[in-house]
Amino acid sequence: MKVVNVNEITKYYENKPENLIQILRDIHQKQTYISIEQLQEIAQDLKIPPTKVYSAITFYTLLSPKPKGKYVLRICSSTPCHMAGSQDLLDYLKQKLKIKDGETTTDALFTLETTSCLGLCAFAPAMMVNNKIYGNLTKEKVDQIISDYQKGKEKESDCLKVNILNRGKEVILKNCGVIDPESIEEYKTKGGYSALSKVITKMTSVKVIEEVKNSKLLGRGGAAFPTGLKWEFTFRTQEKPKYIICNADEGEPGTFKDRLLLEGDPFRIIEAMTIAGYAVGAEYGYIYIRGEYEISIRRIKTAINKARESNLLGKNILGSNFSFDIKIREGAGAYICGDETALMESIEGKRGIPRLKPPYPPTSGLCGKPTVINNVETLANIPDIILNGANWYNKIGLAESTGTKIFTILGDIKNPGAAEIPLGANLKEVIYEIGGGIVGGKKLKMVQLGGPSGSTLTANMIDIALDYKILAQAGLTLGSGVVLVFNEDRRIVDAVRSMIHFFQHESCGKCTPCREGTKYIYEILDKITLGEGKVGDLNTLKLLGENMKDTSFCPLGQSAPNSLLNTLKLFPEEYTKLIKN
């Protein structure tokens, strides 16, 4: 293993404790674990207790205090990959490498692990080797990857092109796959930076916020909070400095919409953040990108540098008095950091533990200062709203749910991929017209809408509009926009066990209901699938799930049992059949 000069890295980050996670990430780019000696050096340089460094290392799954092989193989175990056979590949690798999950080969070359969603759901099953990702895996492809690494050939990440369905009607995906994402000139030829120029030369902050408010743009991260209202709260707060944060830590299994935008149209996100900074009076911005998105990180870094070179980021943008700059913060493997308060904790160099609210980020966010946090897809709408006006945007979608939404359509579907569709579209049409229907002409059994934390629909429930308000009235949620399709042959309990396993792995451990609830629910489901279930198990599962929803500290724990409780209600015979047999 190459010896890493820890002092050089901590010095690069100015020996500031808030940069702890980035320091640990940088060390992990060069080696697969952090030794006790290095941990102590970091603590000494940053003047913090060694326990704080150890606490961070053991919290994030991409970090480790224990020695691992030169190459860490992480097989994705999220539901889309599980449906595509990732467990078979894991078993194959165990036999091939003669090790168990979590073990290292005798030559110290490979460590085998499972991981949560890698964002390659359209190319399931997927695997990550150190920071490189590979999709559409088969045993033959895995053999080739292993062989290459054994020979010292470190392969580049698969740059797989997502199938964008319903092409030609996009608003925010229109540049993806069309322009060179690393060319600022090509972005400009498509109208890029015209919105920022308009804002700086013709609009006041108040006018920009009013335009966004009038557009009725709702947050696309799942909570659907009015974007303009969030901006207004921060604008009205007098305290300085103010921050803009782009939440690019999507980790909901089945979700890769933000990755599409980050990799396919990165300048759009940079421009949108800059407009947001102008609107609320912020000079600083952060893009928090999940550590598994190696290509996204690389392209956003390129976009930031080129925007600075073109005087579109940094001091006195376009010759004005407005200054705004952006830094990247790389996640280190923690789904909980998709929660806005946990994300801020991570940016501040801590474990990603959710905060108690209130106070809310618009008035007291990063470092206790006013902060706007928007997710990638939300921000992607801003340039077109500013350029074309709120009235134009209001003509797309429904009266109260304006604009488009990116849906990731996956599972037992003929045409898997992503589709940008006006809000209010019918789910049945999305599945059978845009998605092409069920593979092999089989019948539809279930749709998981919005990912594991979202809603469950049976085949007779899908004739419904994909609209925030309409779904809410039916007790459903749009969530992140995942449309995961299950055919008639799928065992529902297997799918739910996979979803609960995800939440058990990603629970931050702060509160007992989530930490212990996910563990016990998974253990019971595991026994049921192995034929060891008992009659009273279903009542226990229901009680555990309801208690988690009522008593968990944050939305992760509150939504983790959704798939369980929904399927217990909609498919009770699936559970009772396994127990009786």
Side-chain angles (χ1 to χ4, degrees):
M1 182 180 71
K2 183 180 179 181
V3 178
V4 175
N5 190 320
V6 170
N7 301 123
E8 282 185 5
I9 295 175
T10 55
K11 185 178 179 181
Y12 174 81
Y13 286 101
E14 302 174 325
N15 291 328
K16 291 182 177 180
E18 59 263 34
N19 292 326
L20 173 60
I21 310 304
Q22 301 312 298
I23 290 167
L24 298 174
R25 279 281 295 163
D26 276 17
I27 294 172
H28 263 269
Q29 297 296 318
K30 301 174 177 65
Q31 60 186 51
T32 57
Y33 81 104
I34 296 172
S35 69
I36 294 297
E37 293 75 21
Q38 290 172 327
L39 183 156
Q40 291 171 336
E41 280 188 76
I42 295 167
Q44 185 175 359
D45 290 349
L46 272 55
K47 295 181 172 58
I48 58 177
T51 52
K52 184 174 180 181
V53 183
Y54 183 78
S55 175
I57 294 172
T58 53
F59 180 82
Y60 297 94
T61 58
L62 296 183
L63 307 177
S64 174
K66 298 179 180 179
K68 294 189 178 183
K70 183 177 180 181
Y71 303 112
V72 182
L73 312 176
R74 294 182 172 96
I75 301 293
C76 181
S77 63
S78 69
T79 309
C81 280
H82 178 76
M83 293 172 68
S86 62
Q87 183 62 47
D88 291 339
L89 281 177
L90 178 64
D91 293 338
Y92 177 71
L93 276 169
K94 288 178 183 177
Q95 293 179 346
K96 182 179 179 68
L97 300 175
K98 296 180 175 58
I99 54 175
K100 296 178 182 178
D101 188 1
E103 293 184 345
T104 301
T105 53
T106 53
D107 60 2
L109 196 59
F110 298 108
T111 296
L112 182 61
E113 297 179 354
T114 56
T115 185
S116 297
C117 188
L118 295 174
L120 286 181
C121 317
F123 310 108
M127 174 174 69
M128 185 174 177
V129 182
N130 291 358
N131 66 331
K132 306 297 183 184
I133 54 175
Y134 310 99
N136 286 335
L137 295 180
T138 60
K139 291 178 181 179
E140 292 74 23
K141 185 171 181 179
V142 166
D143 285 341
Q144 186 61 55
I145 291 170
I146 296 298
S147 175
D148 287 341
Y149 278 102
Q150 285 173 332
K151 296 173 183 175
K153 299 177 182 178
E154 299 193 8
K155 295 169 62 66
E156 284 301 308
S157 293
D158 281 351
C159 204
L160 300 162
K161 188 175 180 181
V162 173
N163 185 21
I164 298 181
L165 311 168
N166 209 32
R167 195 88 222 202
K169 300 179 181 180
E170 301 90 353
V171 175
I172 59 176
L173 286 179
K174 60 187 175 186
N175 290 340
C176 294
V178 176
I179 65 171
D180 177 357
E182 297 188 4
S183 170
I184 195 168
E185 295 305 323
E186 284 197 32
Y187 178 64
K188 287 180 179 179
T189 62
K190 297 294 183 179
Y193 282 107
S194 299
L196 178 61
S197 178
K198 178 181 178 181
V199 161
I200 290 176
T201 59
K202 297 180 181 179
M203 299 176 75
T204 63
S205 294
V206 172
K207 179 61 179 172
V208 173
I209 292 172
E210 282 301 311
E211 200 70 60
V212 176
K213 284 176 66 179
N214 290 338
S215 74
K216 303 176 186 175
L217 173 65
L218 301 177
R220 300 298 197 245
F225 190 84
T227 304
L229 192 59
K230 183 183 287 189
W231 288 17
E232 187 174 49
F233 289 152
T234 300
F235 170 75
R236 288 182 176 177
T237 303
Q238 299 301 313
E239 194 171 0
K240 293 274 190 173
K242 298 179 180 180
Y243 298 99
I244 304 295
I245 296 178
C246 172
N247 184 345
D249 194 56
E250 71 175 355
E252 191 83 16
T255 307
F256 52 88
K257 61 186 180 63
D258 292 347
R259 183 175 67 81
L260 279 179
L261 291 161
L262 294 168
E263 295 179 10
D265 203 2
F267 291 103
R268 172 181 286 269
I269 309 306
I270 304 301
E271 180 181 12
M273 288 183 69
T274 310
I275 292 170
Y278 178 90
V280 307
E283 293 186 7
Y284 307 100
Y286 288 92
I287 301 181
Y288 188 96
I289 308 179
R290 62 187 309 226
E292 293 87 345
Y293 281 9
E294 186 255 345
I295 298 174
S296 299
I297 292 169
R298 190 170 72 232
R299 288 187 177 167
I300 285 290
K301 282 181 178 178
T302 298
I304 287 174
N305 290 334
K306 290 188 176 180
R308 285 193 190 122
E309 292 168 2
S310 302
N311 189 219
L312 293 164
L313 199 62
K315 293 288 185 182
N316 305 116
I317 295 173
L318 293 176
S320 69
N321 294 324
F322 170 58
S323 299
F324 181 80
D325 210 348
I326 296 172
K327 292 182 179 179
I328 291 176
R329 285 293 178 263
E330 298 177 22
Y335 167 76
I336 188 62
C337 287
D339 174 271
E340 60 184 11
T341 60
L343 181 150
M344 291 187 292
E345 290 285 296
S346 188
I347 290 178
E348 293 174 12
K350 306 170 190 173
R351 292 162 66 99
I353 303 292
R355 300 174 183 173
L356 181 66
K357 294 188 286 189
Y360 295 96
T363 55
S364 180
L366 187 65
C367 303
K369 301 299 182 182
T371 305
V372 167
I373 304 181
N374 291 131
N375 102 309
V376 175
E377 186 183 359
T378 307
L379 286 165
N381 286 275
I382 297 300
D384 284 289
I385 288 172
I386 295 300
L387 208 55
N388 301 311
N391 290 336
W392 164 82
Y393 196 76
N394 288 334
K395 294 175 183 177
I396 306 171
L398 302 181
E400 295 303 319
S401 292
T402 57
T404 62
K405 178 81 183 75
I406 302 175
F407 292 92
T408 50
I409 307 169
L410 303 162
D412 300 317
I413 197 83
K414 287 182 181 178
N415 303 322
E420 183 182 351
I421 306 165
L423 283 164
N426 186 279
L427 176 57
K428 187 175 183 179
E429 293 176 4
V430 169
I431 294 171
Y432 286 97
E433 294 182 17
I434 296 175
I438 315 303
V439 173
K442 293 184 180 291
K443 293 180 181 179
L444 173 66
K445 186 173 194 176
M446 181 180 86
V447 176
Q448 191 67 25
L449 182 62
S453 61
S455 301
T456 305
L457 295 86
T458 61
N460 61 2
M461 295 170 64
I462 63 171
D463 192 8
I464 191 169
L466 293 170
D467 165 74
Y468 294 103
K469 187 175 181 179
I470 293 172
L471 288 170
Q473 289 172 344
L476 304 170
T477 178
L478 194 58
S480 59
V482 180
V483 179
L484 185 58
V485 175
F486 296 80
N487 70 27
E488 58 188 321
D489 296 332
R490 295 288 181 181
R491 288 208 320 180
I492 299 300
V493 185
D494 282 343
V496 174
R497 183 179 61 163
S498 168
M499 296 176 200
I500 294 296
H501 179 265
F502 165 75
F503 287 115
Q504 180 194 0
H505 181 268
E506 296 299 336
S507 173
C508 74
K510 178 186 177 84
C511 71
T512 304
C514 179
R515 182 185 66 246
E516 300 301 322
T518 52
K519 176 178 179 290
Y520 289 134
I521 288 173
Y522 179 75
E523 287 177 354
I524 294 171
L525 289 174
D526 201 40
K527 288 180 180 179
I528 290 174
T529 57
L530 291 172
E532 300 171 4
K534 297 178 292 186
V535 175
D537 284 346
L538 300 189
N539 287 333
T540 304
L541 287 171
K542 187 172 183 290
L543 181 63
L544 284 168
E546 289 174 346
N547 282 339
M548 279 185 63
K549 287 184 70 69
D550 292 339
T551 60
S552 292
F553 181 81
C554 82
L556 186 151
Q558 294 160 12
S559 62
N562 282 354
S563 60
L564 169 70
L565 295 175
N566 290 338
T567 54
L568 280 171
K569 180 180 178 181
L570 297 171
F571 301 96
E573 70 284 354
E574 294 260 341
Y575 291 86
T576 55
K577 182 179 178 181
L578 283 173
I579 290 173
K580 288 178 180 179
N581 290 340

